[in-house]
Amino acid sequence: MSTDETRRKLLDGALRVLVEQGIAKTSARSVAAAAGVNQGLVFYHFGSMDELLAAACRYGAEQRVARYRERLGAVGTLSELLALGRVLHEEEREAGQVAVLGQLLAGAQTHPRLGPATAAGLDLWIEEIERVLRRVLAGGPLDGAVEPAGLARTVAASFVGMELYEGVDPAGANAALDALEQLAGLLAALEELSLVARGAVRYTLRRKGRLSREV
Amino acid sequence: MSTDETRRKLLDGALRVLVEQGIAKTSARSVAAAAGVNQGLVFYHFGSMDELLAAACRYGAEQRVARYRERLGAVGTLSELLALGRVLHEEEREAGQVAVLGQLLAGAQTHPRLGPATAAGLDLWIEEIERVLRRVLAGGPLDGAVEPAGLARTVAASFVGMELYEGVDPAGANAALDALEQLAGLLAALEELSLVARGAVRYTLRRKGRLSREV
DNA sequence: GTCTATAAGCAGATAGAC
DNA sequence: GTCTATCTGCTTATAGAC
């Protein structure tokens, strides 16, 4: 069998075990079994379990982000971004892929090699989110008031937290997402304010921002 | 030694190992060593590791929530809540206690007994947050537009995600928190809008809400 | 590149002395 | 209630045949 094919099988197997059993049960044996290859090949191809997990993290994040790149690129308004967010959440929850990032984030505390790899995987998501946010916020009342780079990181981290929360309390997570939708809807609504109201809001936000910088 | 004292030592030991080594390295042996007691006592007092972890989760959450209950009760405005949130984040990050919830959330997928216990631990936080939100949002422009119960869950889940993110990218987490602060500051500023602007905003939000319910 | 076999060690959990 | 000793099974990782 070709090197690439076995490597790919192991990476897919690692992601599947992470999704189905969590980081605690993700061992060289369980991954090899899921991949349908011999256990020793984990170490032949990746050297250690840490390296396999790090590679799987990158591999999985690339796959998922590529899956949404086109749809994210088509987003032009905050409302559209919001709608895509809910779709994305449903699809990722079903596939269990965002929870994998949570598993790896938790495991990163023990496996030091895993920290940078997980951060890199998250960065792939953050990069896409930031690009969309920059486009969507431009010209609106939030333009200049919120840093897109930071907001993208907030969104990504919250998303991961939400997926982990969903694992222990699906009803609670649903209520949380509804509230988030309401909140984001309010922001989107701000963009449709009448001109006079918008002017007053912008004035107040600016004054507020200056004050808070002085304090 | 009394039953209670040994139990408490084991609970404290479990939390310490969870903070310092993560769920993956939290074993009966490591916890007993941290607690300074014999390994067999884990099973005498708790029956299994799952039960010990579940009990430690509740125990830790109760401790931490009690620590902030008074300060949370003194919060009267969104700005004050925001300021306390940042303080709370700093203190919890230092103690590593919120990351413990992340560790347990990740582990809950494998240890089924851990799921409900972790959800219960999170609920202690959510309950406090919800109470404050209800008080702070009352009368403001967001009153009636966002469900406090759902928003409290969003805040809690995002907080956990943020703590896990901080573990792999402290600079990124800091940028994320700054953006969150900007965003929350904008919401707080909305409460200080002039009367005419506030009326326009409320009108727009109501119309928007009705529309989105129709769609 | 892939296989089997195995080393060395840690896991959860229990039995029985004290 | 606490201790030691131990069972069983799983872990990462390697050596060496094919």
Side-chain angles (χ1 to χ4, degrees):
Chain A
M1 205 182 295
S2 79
T3 290
D4 279 4
E5 194 180 342
T6 303
R7 278 182 63 95
R8 193 186 44 72
K9 276 188 184 174
L10 282 169
L11 292 171
D12 285 330
L15 290 177
R16 222 171 60 231
V17 177
L18 277 172
V19 167
E20 290 166 10
Q21 319 229 57
I23 180 93
K25 300 247 170 170
T26 302
S27 67
R29 279 175 162 79
S30 62
V31 169
V37 305
N38 188 274
Q39 179 255 138
L41 294 180
V42 167
F43 303 96
Y44 175 80
H45 287 287
F46 292 94
S48 72
M49 271 305 287
D50 284 21
E51 287 300 322
L52 169 56
L53 290 176
C57 176
R58 276 187 246 270
Y59 173 75
E62 274 164 20
Q63 270 190 335
R64 304 312 289 182
V65 169
R67 182 188 167 92
Y68 297 107
R69 188 164 285 132
E70 200 174 328
R71 279 185 270 178
L72 281 165
V75 167
T77 69
L78 209 49
S79 303
E80 285 171 22
L81 177 57
L82 178 55
L84 177 55
R86 192 81 184 213
V87 168
L88 196 146
H89 162 72
E90 293 296 336
E91 292 186 21
E92 288 309 290
R93 186 172 54 88
E94 196 134 344
Q97 287 294 333
V98 174
V100 164
L101 277 174
Q103 292 288 327
L104 294 170
L105 240 34
Q109 192 142 5
T110 313
H111 309 245
R113 181 69 187 73
L114 214 52
T118 316
L122 258 176
D123 276 342
L124 290 179
W125 282 102
I126 290 169
E127 198 180 315
E128 290 299 320
I129 298 170
E130 183 178 342
R131 188 172 307 155
V132 177
L133 282 178
R134 236 174 247 286
R135 199 169 61 233
V136 164
L137 295 181
L142 266 48
D143 195 4
V146 179
E147 203 61 55
L151 190 55
R153 283 162 175 79
T154 304
V155 170
S158 299
F159 213 83
V160 172
M162 206 72 85
E163 295 293 321
L164 282 176
Y165 179 43
E166 175 126 36
V168 303
D169 187 353
N174 205 51
L177 283 164
D178 284 344
L180 201 60
E181 207 157 299
Q182 290 173 330
L183 203 61
L186 294 184
L187 289 179
L190 273 185
E191 300 202 320
E192 300 190 11
L193 284 177
S194 67
L195 273 182
V196 57
R198 178 183 282 223
V201 169
R202 289 181 73 94
Y203 171 76
T204 305
L205 297 187
R206 287 227 183 82
R207 184 171 54 85
K208 209 34 189 160
R210 201 165 54 241
L211 285 175
S212 63
R213 265 194 295 279
E214 281 166 6
V215 173
Chain B
M1 203 182 296
S2 80
T3 291
D4 278 5
E5 196 180 342
T6 302
R7 279 182 62 95
R8 194 187 44 73
K9 276 188 185 175
L10 282 169
L11 292 170
D12 285 330
L15 289 177
R16 222 170 63 233
V17 177
L18 237 26
V19 167
E20 289 166 10
Q21 319 228 53
I23 181 91
K25 300 247 171 173
T26 303
S27 67
R29 282 173 165 83
S30 63
V31 169
V37 306
N38 187 275
Q39 178 254 135
L41 295 178
V42 167
F43 303 96
Y44 176 81
H45 286 288
F46 293 93
S48 72
M49 271 305 288
D50 284 20
E51 287 301 321
L52 169 56
L53 289 177
C57 176
R58 277 187 244 271
Y59 174 76
E62 274 163 21
Q63 269 189 335
R64 303 313 289 184
V65 169
R67 180 189 168 94
Y68 298 106
R69 187 163 286 132
E70 200 173 325
R71 279 186 269 177
L72 281 165
V75 167
T77 68
L78 208 49
S79 303
E80 284 171 23
L81 177 57
L82 177 56
L84 177 55
R86 192 80 185 214
V87 168
L88 196 144
H89 163 72
E90 292 297 334
E91 292 187 21
E92 289 308 291
R93 184 172 55 89
E94 197 134 344
Q97 289 292 334
V98 174
V100 165
L101 277 174
Q103 292 288 327
L104 294 171
L105 239 35
Q109 192 142 4
T110 313
H111 310 246
R113 179 72 186 72
L114 214 52
T118 317
L122 257 176
D123 275 343
L124 290 178
W125 282 102
I126 290 169
E127 199 179 315
E128 291 298 321
I129 298 170
E130 182 177 344
R131 187 172 309 155
V132 177
L133 281 178
R134 238 175 246 288
R135 198 170 61 234
V136 164
L137 295 182
L142 267 46
D143 195 4
V146 180
E147 203 62 56
L151 190 55
R153 283 162 175 81
T154 304
V155 170
S158 298
F159 214 83
V160 172
M162 207 71 85
E163 294 293 322
L164 282 176
Y165 179 43
E166 175 126 36
V168 303
D169 187 354
N174 205 51
L177 283 163
D178 285 344
L180 201 59
E181 207 157 296
Q182 290 173 330
L183 203 61
L186 293 183
L187 289 179
L190 273 184
E191 301 202 319
E192 300 188 11
L193 285 176
S194 67
L195 272 181
V196 57
R198 176 182 283 223
V201 169
R202 289 182 74 94
Y203 171 76
T204 304
L205 297 188
R206 288 226 183 82
R207 185 171 55 85
K208 212 26 192 166
R210 202 165 53 243
L211 286 176
S212 63
R213 266 195 294 280
E214 282 167 6
V215 172

